Amino acid sequence: MITPGIEISLEKIAHNAKRLKELYASKGIDVIGVTKVVCGDTKIANALIKSGINILADSRIANIKKMVDAGMQAQFLLLRTIYSQAKDVVSYAGISLNSELSVIKELSKYAVKQDTTHKIILMVELGDLREGIMPSDLEKTVNEVIGLKGIELAGIGTNLACFGGIKPDDKKMGYLSSIAQNIEDKFKLKLEFVSGGNSANYDWFMSTNDVGKVNNLRLGESIFSGCETLERKPIPGLFTNAFTLIAEVMESKIKPSLPYGDVYQDAFGNTPKFLDHGLIRRAILGVGLQDVLVSGLTPMLDIDILGASSDHIIIDAKQTDLSVGNTVEFKLNYGALLSAMTSPYINKKYN
Ligand SMILES: *Cc1c(COP(=O)(O)O)cnc(C)c1O
């Protein structure tokens, strides 16, 4: 393999997607596959489609365009709608999440121009304080939205545990259900989607006796990492190792553990502090912060990451005898996966 690289098991991803789809379907909830952490990678997106997922979501219209242009057979949902991109949103995504009337009016303008109907899901603020309309303002917005040409109000949704770390629980989901019911009754319509959240909704789903009107979740991380996201606990029956980062040893020597000379700032403006452990086996790996969020890596060998610069990770190899040209494998957390999939320097290998 060309290093640094990321090994991607399409089989493990497909397995996770299939299991989660079946699990959530057992209480009437459909799963949308979220591809943003893998930058809309078309091989991975295809694995999701093969697992029975028929709506793919991404935060970036460029990623959706890439998947549409690759001829992928799915519906596409945009998670983050930006005013100035409205034309492309209508061209490439059939559905989008929205929380601003001015943006929806812009979508309406282009939907009319393109002689199409664009579906929107209105996001409701339930306390996490990222996107969403305050519940007290929702009816007013719905009233305006249903009058717009080329726009179909397809649902409401919420997003928790992203910015504020707020847990989706029975109280929050019950409230979302009651809001959905209220909108349906008041405006005499049927909402196709009541989208309750993301990978953080797992605990709620497992413990609840009644999912109410929630019929949809948008899942990224739990499909790719096999974990829920409130405490990063593994989900039984899922693979947690669908991705592996592979780096190559470029220098390996016995050297002191303590830098010597006068201490000033390092490459990133920090003044480093180290403890003296005497001589250690120091190795340098040919991967750095320009490739991956190094703090999100966990080595699969008993070695310690001492630090990193733009292009190097420095490790204490401890009892492991590493030679130049050997490779070292790492598990990646969400941030590490996001950065590795975004970096043009990381070679992607699928198996
Ligand atoms: C990223 C995102 C998701 C998916 O979150 P995961 O934690 O990866 O499951 C769902 N909804 C929105 C609005 C998002 O931005």
Side-chain angles (χ1 to χ4, degrees):
M1 167 176 218
I2 301 165
T3 65
I6 187 163
E7 231 170 56
I8 303 164
S9 169
L10 295 175
E11 245 169 67
K12 288 177 182 173
I13 293 167
H15 168 93
N16 286 359
K18 201 152 175 275
R19 289 295 290 264
L20 286 168
K21 192 174 158 78
E22 286 164 3
L23 174 73
Y24 285 108
S26 69
K27 293 185 192 171
I29 291 183
D30 189 39
V31 169
I32 290 177
V34 176
T35 55
K36 69 181 185 217
V37 73
V38 295
C39 305
D41 182 288
T42 52
K43 290 195 180 66
I44 295 174
N46 257 324
L48 301 184
I49 293 172
K50 281 201 195 115
S51 307
I53 286 181
N54 40 39
I55 306 179
L56 296 176
D58 204 289
S59 49
R60 297 183 187 248
I61 197 67
N63 291 345
I64 289 182
K65 185 172 185 301
K66 180 168 73 180
M67 293 187 277
V68 170
D69 288 346
M72 310 202 63
Q73 292 304 307
Q75 285 180 265
F76 289 96
L77 180 151
L78 183 67
L79 296 166
R80 184 196 66 169
T81 313
I82 291 178
Y83 182 88
S84 62
Q85 298 175 350
K87 184 171 176 224
D88 277 353
V89 175
V90 171
S91 300
Y92 295 103
I95 320 167
S96 59
L97 305 186
N98 288 278
S99 56
E100 285 290 355
L101 193 58
S102 58
V103 177
I104 302 166
K105 284 183 174 162
E106 196 70 359
L107 293 169
S108 164
K109 185 174 106 187
Y110 286 104
V112 169
K113 269 193 193 163
Q114 297 179 24
D115 196 20
T116 185
T117 302
H118 182 77
K119 291 185 181 184
I120 65 157
I121 296 176
L122 287 178
M123 295 302 276
V124 184
E125 178 60 67
L126 291 186
D128 200 56
L129 297 182
R130 202 179 69 182
E131 73 276 33
I133 299 162
M134 291 303 284
S136 54
D137 295 330
L138 187 64
E139 277 185 19
K140 202 172 92 225
T141 309
V142 169
N143 198 35
E144 298 240 25
V145 163
I146 55 179
L148 293 174
K149 291 203 176 66
I151 295 292
E152 177 187 335
L153 177 63
I156 64 166
T158 197
N159 197 58
L160 296 164
C162 260
F163 180 72
I166 298 300
K167 181 183 161 117
D169 56 14
D170 258 340
K171 212 170 146 206
K172 300 279 186 201
M173 291 300 107
Y175 187 40
L176 186 69
S177 281
S178 72
I179 292 173
Q181 189 66 57
N182 194 41
I183 298 289
E184 288 190 341
D185 293 346
K186 186 140 195 162
F187 295 94
K188 310 250 177 308
L189 49 81
K190 176 92 185 79
L191 296 172
E192 181 183 349
F193 300 99
V194 180
S195 191
N198 53 45
S199 296
N201 283 58
Y202 176 79
D203 271 356
W204 160 75
F205 175 82
M206 294 304 283
S207 62
T208 190
N209 295 315
D210 180 11
V211 299
K213 286 182 74 69
V214 175
N215 65 4
N216 179 274
L217 290 173
R218 311 170 306 271
L219 302 184
E221 187 169 350
S222 56
I223 296 176
F224 299 121
S225 74
C227 294
E228 57 78 45
T229 56
L230 289 178
E231 297 176 300
R232 290 333 191 268
K233 288 186 306 250
I235 296 175
L238 300 195
F239 290 107
T240 57
N241 59 352
F243 297 87
T244 308
L245 187 89
I246 298 179
E248 184 175 328
V249 177
M250 48 172 285
E251 183 190 296
S252 178
K253 297 186 190 306
I254 308 286
K255 287 196 197 178
S257 44
L258 193 65
Y260 44 94
D262 295 334
V263 179
Y264 283 83
Q265 290 181 1
D266 68 10
F268 291 93
N270 306 308
T271 306
K273 284 195 182 65
F274 294 98
L275 293 174
D276 191 357
H277 301 294
L279 291 174
I280 58 170
R281 288 175 204 252
R282 293 180 84 93
I284 304 178
L285 307 179
V287 64
L289 289 159
Q290 198 154 46
D291 308 291
V292 66
L293 181 71
V294 174
S295 59
L297 296 177
T298 307
M300 283 156 73
L301 290 169
D302 181 25
I303 60 177
D304 291 336
I305 297 176
L306 297 173
S309 55
S310 319
D311 313 290
H312 305 82
I313 291 179
I314 299 92
I315 62 171
D316 177 353
K318 294 160 86 172
Q319 303 307 315
T320 308
D321 193 10
L322 290 175
S323 311
V324 170
N326 285 170
T327 54
V328 177
E329 300 188 341
F330 295 88
K331 285 192 71 163
L332 304 95
N333 74 5
Y334 188 79
L337 180 61
L338 179 72
S339 54
M341 291 302 292
T342 308
S343 172
Y345 305 107
I346 298 272
N347 174 47
K348 293 168 189 74
K349 185 169 166 236
Y350 305 85
N351 55 29

